[in-house]
Amino acid sequence: MIGLISATAAGAAARDRLAAAWPDRTRVYEGPVGDAVRAAFAQCEQLVCFLATGAVVRLVAPLLSGKTADPGVVCVDEGGRFAVSLVGGHAGRANELAREVGELLGAEPVVTTATDAADLPGLDTLGLPVEGDVAGVSRAMLDGEAVALRTEVAWPLPPLPVAGEGSYTIRLTDRLVRAAEREVVLRPPSLVVGVGASKGAPVEEVLGLVEGVLREAGLSAASVAELATVDAKAEEPGIVEAARRLGVPLVTYSAGELAGVEVPNPSDAPLAAVGTPSVAEAAALVRGGELLVPKRKSAASPAMATCAVVRRPGRGRLAVVGLGPGARDLLTPRAKAELRRAAVLVGLDQYVDQIRDLLRPGTRILESGLGAEEERARTAVEEAREGRAVALIGSGDAGVYAMASPALAEASDDIDVVGVPGVTAALAAGAILGAPLGHDHVSISLSDLHTPWEVIERRVRAAAEADIVVTFYNPRSRGRDWQLPKALDILAGHRAPTTPVGVVRNASRPDESARLTTLAALDPATVDMMTVVTVGNTATREIAGRMVTPRGYRWQEEPE
């Protein structure tokens, strides 16, 4: 919950804008400001104070207990010009909140955390448990000192200024080790603990077994990603509570799935009880990995719990990112976040140039020219298979005539794939033209480099006969100048010569141009590969210079 505190009418007005925008995230604290701040500090994860920073400093100073426990505090000035991250920039997510508040109120976010100011990922913002000298290692990276990365478990990380050797160290491990001097230990969620238990097994026995086995094996509980068991034990109180106390999800599998997993220590007891010869080992191994600890029983007599531990290999991450039609303000926040998360960027050179300034320092860029789509897809997948965080970029939406299809054709289930949608050229052009896509519509590429013309022609003819609005991608190039006239002729056999046609070139870019013409008047020679052509259906009209396809609502019908 975010506590909102203000002292003046101007502050209250901005406060109320936040409260209205985030009704489920915020709580307004009324009354004397000092009392409101103290109450919100004790009850909320974050605070936004519409007060002077000096006043907030004096109010919260006696309340501070430590950076990992204090809520994030953001100050907004009376004029609403700045949103200042004051306390808890990383742990309290105040830096992120300052940016959100700034975007909503039109204020400038002010973030002074050193790593954020230098555009470096904070070691405590990577989503992994972190131990050791975070401040010292972060300062070393900021000062340009050599920081070594020791990866004992492969895991996708954002770009970090690291080297093979250095006087400071970042250690990525699931081993139960103490951070040395000048060292940070990051804990990847690489361990899966399979658990079996008799009915009524107490949580103390289940949890004690899991924690004891991890400790004896020299493994960190902070790296446990999940507890796994058979479906029949999905509601067993001791297992459910053990997962809750460990702070990890409980994942269950059917007895049939577990019975198909080859294990070193099968048993007749679980086979008779739940239908599989193994629960703990099979549940840990069902999705693959290295069995670090075979089945162990608890020390109780009789033993009511078993567990096994598996290390799953680190999975690379491939984000397939749509950059939109070109304008920076049509690049989605999610796309920006993925670009900044990627340690490796793969893309067409001209698309890389569009977003190069958004990348973090140290991002490895693999760019190539036109016509190398399959090669770029293979490269991105190969990089992800090496355990890296990769972004593969394309214009518009990456799934529409872009890189998602070839990338997913190359990828298998050994990497994580994330799709990031983008604004397509058809949507950008439609917004410029008016509302041509107000009813059923279809996009057809006229490029026969990947699709035989006979197939394209059949699709155009089907759209013409079905009276569907059509947007043509890749309509005309120097070497392909006859396809667009042919497609227009097909449509003309089913639509009037006066059917509105919208022509948009470089939608959303500085040299954008758009015009509205008709099916009979369109000159294909004025169209190129940077253009999308939208042909209306029989109901599409030009209204006040805009192209409009009605939804078909009754109130839109023309009077007789």
Side-chain angles (χ1 to χ4, degrees):
M1 186 64 66
I2 304 172
L4 305 179
I5 301 104
S6 62
T8 67
R15 175 203 69 192
D16 292 344
R17 287 176 60 192
L18 279 190
W22 300 337
D24 298 328
R25 298 176 59 191
T26 57
R27 175 181 172 185
V28 173
Y29 284 78
E30 305 279 7
V33 169
D35 294 342
V37 169
R38 283 187 288 273
F41 199 92
Q43 297 168 0
C44 297
E45 292 83 18
Q46 295 175 305
L47 281 70
V48 179
C49 300
F50 296 86
L51 305 165
T53 53
V56 178
V57 167
R58 286 189 290 274
L59 288 169
V60 304
L63 310 175
L64 300 175
S65 62
K67 63 186 297 182
T68 60
D70 296 329
V73 180
V74 170
C75 292
V76 179
D77 64 286
E78 293 290 310
R81 294 175 297 172
F82 303 103
V84 183
S85 174
L86 187 67
V87 172
H90 285 168
R93 306 191 317 280
N95 294 349
E96 178 184 343
L97 180 60
R99 296 185 180 100
E100 287 188 271
V101 170
E103 183 174 354
L104 185 61
L105 299 181
E108 180 72 22
V110 179
V111 175
T112 58
T113 305
T115 50
D116 290 63
D119 204 20
L120 291 175
L123 295 174
D124 51 354
T125 67
L126 302 180
L128 303 178
V130 58
E131 306 164 14
D133 188 9
V134 175
V137 175
S138 298
R139 185 168 55 250
M141 290 194 297
L142 289 166
D143 290 343
E145 296 188 47
V147 176
L149 176 63
R150 295 181 181 171
T151 304
E152 298 175 17
V153 179
W155 209 261
L157 295 174
L160 295 168
V162 293
E165 299 292 335
S167 54
Y168 292 83
T169 304
I170 298 172
R171 186 175 179 184
L172 191 67
T173 183
D174 56 17
R175 292 289 178 185
L176 188 59
V177 296
R178 287 182 177 272
E181 186 179 359
R182 295 186 171 189
E183 182 178 68
V184 162
V185 174
L186 296 174
R187 303 288 188 189
S190 55
L191 303 178
V192 177
V193 179
V195 178
S198 301
K199 183 175 178 60
V203 62
E204 290 76 14
E205 182 174 345
V206 177
L207 187 59
L209 173 64
V210 170
E211 292 179 335
V213 164
L214 289 170
R215 186 168 52 251
E216 291 173 18
L219 299 170
S220 172
S223 282
V224 175
E226 60 192 41
L227 293 193
T229 191
V230 66
D231 284 346
K233 299 295 179 179
E235 297 182 4
E236 184 64 42
I239 296 178
V240 172
E241 179 62 15
R244 190 193 69 80
R245 293 190 191 181
L246 287 168
V248 300
L250 176 62
V251 179
T252 65
Y253 300 95
S254 70
E257 288 180 282
L258 298 187
V261 179
E262 185 175 344
V263 297
N265 300 292
S267 171
D268 291 336
L271 180 61
V274 294
T276 172
S278 172
V279 174
E281 288 179 340
L285 284 166
V286 67
R287 289 170 55 192
E290 176 189 3
L291 184 63
L292 301 180
V293 181
K295 181 177 69 175
R296 291 275 301 276
K297 293 182 179 180
S298 61
S301 182
M304 299 183 72
T306 60
C307 80
V309 184
V310 162
R311 176 186 288 137
R312 288 184 183 162
R315 292 170 63 86
R317 188 175 191 276
L318 174 61
V320 187
V321 181
L323 301 181
R328 178 58 58 84
D329 59 354
L330 292 181
L331 178 66
T332 67
R334 187 179 300 179
K336 292 179 184 178
E338 289 293 347
L339 293 175
R340 296 178 61 74
R341 178 174 180 167
V344 181
L345 182 85
V346 181
L348 179 67
D349 48 14
Q350 58 184 301
Y351 297 153
V352 172
D353 289 341
Q354 290 180 23
I355 47 82
R356 197 183 297 270
D357 62 300
L358 296 177
L359 305 177
R360 289 191 186 275
T363 303
R364 186 157 58 92
I365 300 173
L366 304 176
E367 55 187 314
S368 53
L370 286 169
E373 288 84 359
E374 288 80 5
E375 180 184 343
R376 284 194 292 276
R378 282 192 295 271
T379 297
V381 171
E382 288 167 3
E383 290 287 334
R385 284 190 175 129
E386 293 295 322
R388 302 183 179 99
V390 182
L392 174 63
I393 59 174
S395 66
D397 182 281
V400 179
Y401 304 123
M403 295 304 301
S405 293
L408 296 184
E410 291 286 338
S412 53
D413 62 0
D414 57 346
I415 62 174
D416 294 325
V417 179
V418 178
V420 182
V423 178
T424 68
L427 295 178
I432 294 165
L433 293 170
L437 309 182
H439 208 293
D440 295 338
H441 54 275
V442 64
S443 295
I444 298 177
S445 171
L446 294 183
S447 172
D448 53 3
L449 296 177
H450 300 286
T451 306
W453 174 253
E454 293 75 16
V455 175
I456 297 172
E457 182 175 348
R458 188 165 64 248
R459 292 170 180 172
V460 174
R461 197 172 303 281
E465 294 172 352
D467 196 26
I468 296 176
V469 175
V470 182
T471 296
F472 289 123
Y473 279 70
N474 305 314
R476 183 177 181 273
S477 67
R478 291 180 181 177
R480 296 184 302 99
D481 58 0
W482 59 267
Q483 287 89 342
L484 179 58
K486 177 64 175 176
L488 295 175
D489 285 344
I490 294 171
L491 292 175
H494 299 268
R495 301 179 193 183
T498 56
T499 299
V501 176
V503 181
V504 180
R505 187 177 190 278
N506 283 334
S508 87
R509 299 183 184 185
D511 55 347
E512 167 190 297
S513 63
R515 57 194 172 90
L516 194 57
T517 182
T518 66
L519 189 55
L522 174 62
D523 180 4
T526 63
V527 172
D528 62 13
M529 288 290 285
M530 305 304 293
T531 306
V532 290
V533 177
T534 300
V535 182
N537 64 15
T538 56
T540 304
R541 300 287 183 269
E542 179 181 345
I543 302 175
R546 301 180 184 91
M547 187 176 177
V548 180
T549 301
R551 281 289 306 273
Y553 294 126
R554 194 165 300 157
W555 51 262
Q556 289 181 319
E557 294 178 356
E558 296 182 3
E560 295 181 0

